[in-house]
Amino acid sequence: MTTPANVGTFVVPGTAVQKNDDDSLGRGVTEARNGVVATVVGTLNRKEGILFVDQQTDPIREIEMGDVVIGEVNRINPKTAEIRILHVEGKPVRTLPATHLFADIFVAKIVDKFMPSPGDAMRKRDLIRAKIEQLSPMLRAECRSHPDLGIIKAICPACGEYLVTSSAEPDVNVVCERCDYVGFRALSNGFGHGYEIPEGSSISELNRDGERWSNASMAFISKDGERPYLSPLSDHRRGSVHPTPKDVEKFLGGLQQGGGRGGRGGGGRGGQRPRREMHAAKCTMCGTDTKLPFEPTPGIPARCSPCKEKVDNGDASKEELAAEREVLNKAREAAKETMGMKLFIGGLPYSTSEEQLTELFVAHGELKEVHIAKDKETGNSKGFAFVTYKSYKEGEAAIEALKGTKIEGRKLTIQESKPKGGRDRGGRGGGGNRQNNRGRGRRDRR
């Protein structure tokens, strides 16, 4: 039998330790089934009747207020950028706890310049140096309080080459030396140098803090978070094959007819962007009359700009959100019958045709649409479909009547199709915010 460790002995997790009758247990020791054991690596000690272990390994590395971190831009939202924290400067490299892996940077804390959206000053995969300014209920950081904070590394969204600094054009501070991409980033003095910042570096002056954007660039700046789609090359994930939406082809044609830089403001008279049709609505959160750039859908949030911003910033109270849910549920229930019901049909044999599905489901009510999901490249069925009934009650009856139905020996999954959980319907309701990138060709001008 192993002799329990005494005070002054080096212990590891699981080591049995000697406890006096009047000892209290402190950090690093615990009562186990077979006696008292150590739970950490270190030296057993006793002080003022407390038995504990002087830990000889670093504790869990948690981020503290004021820490300067290096992170990768992970997501661009309408008003915040999410960064994944990779390193805490001045502290040993250790794995961070799950609650300290990500931090948000509010758009107003990026650079001292008019910046409606974080996407105007950074892109996904950029490396950034930021300072932690809030720990609870979630980490928040900022990068405008010191010239050493900001983007330290960025790659060209078009070709993947590292971007370099430039001051050759107004409102541009980074360019790609491989292709014709130019853009704006909230630069750190350490841009292009990694963690080490050269003494006397003044790269951050290229941000032109406090200056207004030129008139030419104002045509590209976000308006209330809205990011108009100007170029098929602006989405680097798809490159030049990114299809131009049909509803803006006419607008893009107007840009081309506008003639060079002077026409970049948009098609139509005076080089201005065509006005979007606005629809009258009531804000589902505060009940005030507002106008939205889309037709509201019953049961889906449709918020005025102040309420949208309140939700985006996490300032909406539980009571306000609960009251809105009640309003949405009532609207959804009232609109059910007129909207009909859309069913998801899973487990389909790949050989099933839309005619076969129509024949199966039309027996239970009048149909609006039958659609089998197909692969865009091969045209083959994906094994699931959607069937929409004109009547909600008929849709419910069809689900019950066709429960357990099989086609070619395969049992079908039949259920009501719900809205996609990953889509921020609330954001849509608050004014149609989109994160479409903009630019002329590969231009990322703001």
Side-chain angles (χ1 to χ4, degrees):
M1 182 175 180
T2 304
T3 303
N6 292 314
V7 171
T9 304
F10 180 79
V11 295
V12 297
T15 300
V17 301
Q18 181 68 48
K19 174 182 176 295
N20 295 336
D21 293 340
D22 57 349
D23 279 343
S24 297
L25 300 183
R27 183 182 61 194
V29 290
T30 188
E31 189 81 41
R33 184 172 57 183
N34 298 324
V36 180
V37 298
T39 59
V40 297
V41 176
T43 303
L44 188 63
N45 204 343
R46 179 185 291 112
K47 185 176 182 180
E48 298 178 355
I50 299 175
L51 190 67
F52 62 97
V53 176
D54 280 326
Q55 195 171 355
Q56 294 185 1
T57 57
D58 285 340
I60 295 175
R61 178 64 59 207
E62 293 189 350
I63 290 176
E64 300 173 340
M65 186 73 74
D67 277 346
V68 175
V69 301
I70 303 296
E72 180 184 37
V73 179
N74 185 62
R75 182 181 299 171
I76 299 290
N77 299 315
K79 292 296 180 182
T80 59
E82 179 188 81
I83 64 170
R84 183 177 186 275
I85 297 174
L86 306 175
H87 174 63
V88 183
E89 289 195 343
K91 294 185 177 180
V93 177
R94 285 184 61 86
T95 301
L96 294 169
T99 54
H100 285 185
L101 287 178
F102 297 92
D104 282 348
I105 303 179
F106 189 62
V107 61
K109 298 298 184 74
I110 294 176
V111 67
D112 184 15
K113 197 176 181 74
F114 172 61
M115 200 72 61
S117 169
D120 291 317
M122 60 182 66
R123 286 296 186 90
K124 287 179 67 174
R125 298 187 293 172
D126 286 354
L127 293 183
I128 187 170
R129 175 184 282 107
K131 184 178 180 180
I132 299 298
E133 64 171 4
Q134 175 182 303
L135 298 177
S136 180
M138 61 185 295
L139 291 184
R140 280 202 171 179
E142 59 88 15
C143 56
R144 65 174 287 179
S145 65
H146 195 279
D148 289 349
L149 303 177
I151 303 299
I152 59 174
K153 212 75 164 173
I155 62 173
C156 174
C159 71
E161 183 71 17
Y162 282 115
L163 299 179
V164 298
T165 57
S166 171
S167 58
E169 296 187 51
D171 305 330
V172 165
N173 61 9
V174 290
V175 300
C176 177
E177 295 181 324
R178 176 187 290 172
C179 66
D180 60 352
Y181 175 89
V182 298
F184 180 87
R185 297 291 189 277
L187 299 178
S188 158
N189 277 339
F191 182 79
H193 299 284
Y195 300 146
E196 299 295 330
I197 302 177
E199 186 176 352
S201 174
S202 59
I203 294 175
S204 65
E205 293 178 1
L206 295 176
N207 297 335
R208 302 178 182 91
D209 288 344
E211 293 185 17
R212 294 178 59 86
W213 298 95
S214 66
N215 291 334
S217 290
M218 281 302 293
F220 292 85
I221 283 291
S222 310
K223 300 295 191 298
D224 296 327
E226 179 66 16
R227 303 181 62 76
Y229 192 105
L230 295 180
S231 168
L233 291 176
S234 62
D235 188 337
H236 68 271
R237 292 168 299 179
R238 302 179 188 176
S240 59
V241 300
H242 190 168
T244 303
K246 292 182 179 179
D247 60 347
V248 296
E249 284 181 350
K250 183 177 180 180
F251 172 49
L252 292 177
L255 289 179
Q256 295 170 356
Q257 294 172 11
R261 295 177 182 266
R264 289 190 297 123
R269 290 180 294 179
Q272 298 297 317
R273 291 206 308 266
R275 289 183 174 271
R276 300 180 66 179
E277 181 183 359
M278 302 298 286
H279 301 266
K282 273 192 178 296
C283 175
T284 54
M285 177 165 282
C286 68
T288 59
D289 292 330
T290 186
K291 288 189 176 182
L292 303 174
F294 58 88
E295 190 169 352
T297 301
I300 300 299
R303 302 175 183 134
C304 61
S305 293
C307 288
K308 171 66 173 65
E309 186 171 351
K310 185 188 293 186
V311 173
D312 285 344
N313 296 339
D315 297 330
S317 67
K318 292 182 179 179
E319 291 75 17
E320 289 175 314
L321 294 173
E324 184 186 42
R325 281 195 297 271
E326 187 174 345
V327 170
L328 296 177
N329 288 337
K330 287 181 179 178
R332 197 176 293 118
E333 287 297 323
K336 270 185 178 180
E337 195 56 33
T338 56
M339 293 177 63
M341 180 188 282
K342 186 175 184 179
L343 303 182
F344 169 79
I345 318 299
L348 280 178
Y350 296 115
S351 60
T352 305
S353 66
E354 291 183 352
E355 289 75 17
Q356 288 175 288
L357 274 186
T358 301
E359 185 178 349
L360 175 62
F361 285 89
V362 76
H364 301 280
E366 188 175 357
L367 303 179
K368 279 185 179 180
E369 182 184 22
V370 176
H371 172 68
I372 293 178
K374 295 182 179 180
D375 186 277
K376 291 182 180 180
E377 295 184 1
T378 65
N380 296 331
S381 168
K382 291 185 177 181
F384 64 91
F386 297 95
V387 173
T388 306
Y389 280 95
K390 287 189 175 181
S391 165
Y392 189 88
K393 291 181 179 178
E394 289 177 348
E396 287 183 315
I399 292 176
E400 187 62 30
L402 295 173
K403 189 182 297 182
T405 298
K406 294 183 178 180
I407 296 181
E408 296 180 14
R410 299 187 64 177
K411 185 177 178 180
L412 301 183
T413 298
I414 304 175
Q415 60 191 35
E416 183 178 359
S417 176
K418 300 293 184 181
K420 293 181 179 179
R423 183 172 179 176
D424 182 6
R425 298 263 177 175
R428 177 181 180 266
N433 293 334
R434 298 177 186 172
Q435 284 302 303
N436 292 334
N437 301 323
R438 295 165 297 163
R440 179 174 60 85
R442 289 178 181 157
R443 195 172 191 80
D444 189 24
R445 183 189 291 278
R446 300 289 182 250

